[in-house]
Amino acid sequence: PAEDIHFQKGLSCQDCHGGDPTAIDDMDASHDPKKGWTGKPDRLHIPEFCAKCHSDATFMKRFDPRARVDQLSEYRTSVHGQRNAKGDGEVAVCVDCHQVHGIRAISDPRSPVYPTNVAETCAHCHADPKKMDPYGVPTNQFAEYKTSVHFHAIQEEGDLAAPTCNDCHGSHGAAPPGVESVTSVCGTCHVREATLFRETEAKKQMDLDPCIRCMVCHSNHAVLPPKDEMLGVGSESTCTGCHAEGDSGYAAAAQMAKSIDTLKTGLAQATGMLDKAERAGMEVSEDRFALQKANDGLVESRVLAHSFDLDRFLVAANGGIAAADAGVSAAKKAFAELRFRRVGLGLSLVVILAAILALAMKVKELGPRE
């Protein structure tokens, strides 16, 4: 079809399958092996079939100087490629992801490998028990992914930077990330959190691999939006999955959660009071600006929870709490000034009314002029 990227670049059937394209009306002549006719490639050898062009740097530069030419070598590093090399004809090959004919550019929203379509493309195999059972691979990944914050971002908000299957597992070199690489995989997007992780390991000379990795708290495919209740020792806490009452980690988690709650409460109180003062006509713009430090402290505290460093966490949290308290004090000061103004206005009105009444009485006493 006209949408096929090969057709758009000027390639034809003969470029892939060989034969004589001039023998339009003679099937035998057009499919003459002497003319290079190869026919339909065996599924097991499709990677090499596609690589005849896609691994040829000189050839590919004719169409796109930026085109990659390492797909086959990368594919050979993947679980798919390794099984294919051993003769497994059931694992994914090029056409399972890119289709056979009608191959669209990866930038085409209708392409199976366009970011919004990748998960469903992978699910054609990975959500099929008949295909996965022989390998002992679970089939719930796609269902879990559809509940995740990542799926929501890419599918409902149109954020093409949000991760889908190949962002974590790779494309041609697809492989499940090992425990030792989970933080690095997540850290390609969540850089600050990953950095905090590594800093803690270096500072405290401890190995967090066995127990603390991103997926322990956030899961892998069903990554839900983070919430403050995950921190602490409550019913929704993820900390209690490893820490029990009595150990230092349990106490630190409880203190972190308490600080976050105190900061949120103070920030909400200060914001509400300043809003009320502003509606009453008081000038509180500078106080509002200063209150931003409390919000910054809340954001910073949530991030620093990934450092597992209580002292470092409390510096940010306590700074935010202090800013929130300052906001409450500023609002109270504004209300005190408002009351002073109202009392002053009331007294002024009493004095003015008294003066008017006195004048009226004096005028009445003097009577009309003759």
Side-chain angles (χ1 to χ4, degrees):
E3 294 85 0
D4 185 281
I5 186 64
H6 297 127
F7 178 82
Q8 293 175 359
K9 296 295 184 179
L11 301 175
S12 66
C13 309
Q14 183 265 343
D15 291 290
C16 292
H17 298 283
D20 185 359
T22 62
I24 300 176
D25 300 321
D26 188 339
M27 183 70 72
D28 292 333
S30 62
H31 290 179
D32 188 354
K34 296 179 180 179
K35 296 289 186 177
W37 169 253
T38 59
K40 179 181 178 180
D42 176 69
R43 176 179 172 82
L44 193 64
H45 298 100
I46 283 178
E48 289 84 359
F49 181 86
C50 296
K52 288 189 299 183
C53 294
H54 284 278
S55 290
D56 187 334
T58 302
F59 180 81
M60 294 302 296
K61 284 181 180 178
R62 292 168 47 192
F63 306 98
D64 183 358
R66 301 169 300 170
R68 292 179 54 185
V69 291
D70 62 342
Q71 294 97 330
L72 179 61
S73 59
E74 189 176 8
Y75 174 73
R76 288 299 176 209
T77 69
S78 71
V79 174
H80 300 143
Q82 291 172 16
R83 289 188 174 276
N84 171 272
K86 294 178 181 178
D88 187 344
E90 298 300 320
V91 296
V93 293
C94 314
V95 295
D96 293 304
C97 301
H98 295 279
Q99 298 183 330
V100 181
H101 302 109
I103 298 174
R104 301 180 186 276
I106 59 175
S107 58
D108 188 331
R110 296 169 294 176
S111 168
V113 293
Y114 189 73
T116 56
N117 303 324
V118 167
E120 189 170 355
T121 297
C122 295
H124 288 159
C125 293
H126 283 276
D128 186 344
K130 291 183 178 179
K131 293 183 178 180
M132 293 295 105
D133 284 351
Y135 303 103
V137 176
T139 57
N140 60 345
Q141 299 96 328
F142 184 51
E144 289 186 349
Y145 175 70
K146 289 201 293 185
T147 68
S148 73
V149 65
H150 297 148
F151 180 86
H152 172 78
I154 194 170
Q155 294 291 343
E156 298 177 26
E157 297 181 1
D159 183 1
L160 299 183
T164 186
C165 310
N166 62 323
D167 292 294
C168 300
H169 296 278
S171 299
H172 299 100
V179 173
E180 69 282 355
S181 62
V182 168
T183 302
S184 296
V185 171
C186 299
T188 58
C189 295
H190 302 283
V191 179
R192 180 78 190 282
E193 289 80 358
T195 301
L196 289 170
F197 231 94
R198 298 187 185 100
E199 287 177 353
T200 298
E201 289 183 308
K203 178 181 177 181
K204 298 191 174 183
Q205 296 182 343
M206 57 191 297
D207 181 12
L208 298 177
D209 285 341
C211 57
I212 305 175
R213 284 293 174 185
C214 311
M215 58 186 291
V216 174
C217 296
H218 296 282
S219 185
N220 48 3
H221 299 104
V223 178
L224 300 179
K227 54 184 180 180
D228 294 326
E229 289 75 14
M230 296 172 66
L231 183 64
V233 295
S235 59
E236 298 183 68
S237 167
T238 59
C239 305
T240 53
C242 298
H243 297 285
E245 190 171 1
D247 72 29
S248 59
Y250 186 94
Q255 189 170 355
M256 285 182 174
K258 182 179 179 180
S259 297
I260 288 284
D261 287 341
T262 301
L263 176 49
K264 287 169 61 179
T265 300
L267 179 58
Q269 182 183 8
T271 301
M273 292 176 69
L274 288 174
D275 285 346
K276 187 175 180 180
E278 187 175 51
R279 289 195 298 271
M282 302 303 295
E283 173 54 47
V284 293
S285 58
E286 290 187 9
D287 300 316
R288 280 185 170 281
F289 182 79
L291 187 61
Q292 183 60 40
K293 292 181 180 179
N295 188 66
D296 293 342
L298 179 59
V299 173
E300 184 73 359
S301 299
R302 287 167 171 165
V303 175
L304 286 173
H306 297 88
S307 72
F308 305 102
D309 187 330
L310 180 60
D311 294 336
R312 188 175 180 183
F313 171 90
L314 289 177
V315 169
N318 290 338
I321 292 172
D325 290 342
V328 171
S329 297
K332 289 180 178 179
K333 183 178 180 180
F335 285 126
E337 183 179 347
L338 179 62
R339 286 192 295 271
F340 177 78
R341 291 181 181 182
R342 287 176 175 175
V343 170
L345 178 61
L347 291 174
S348 299
L349 289 174
V350 169
V351 171
I352 292 171
L353 288 172
I356 292 174
L357 180 61
L359 287 172
M361 293 177 65
K362 187 64 175 177
V363 169
K364 185 176 180 180
E365 180 184 338
L366 294 174
R369 285 186 173 184
E370 293 184 3

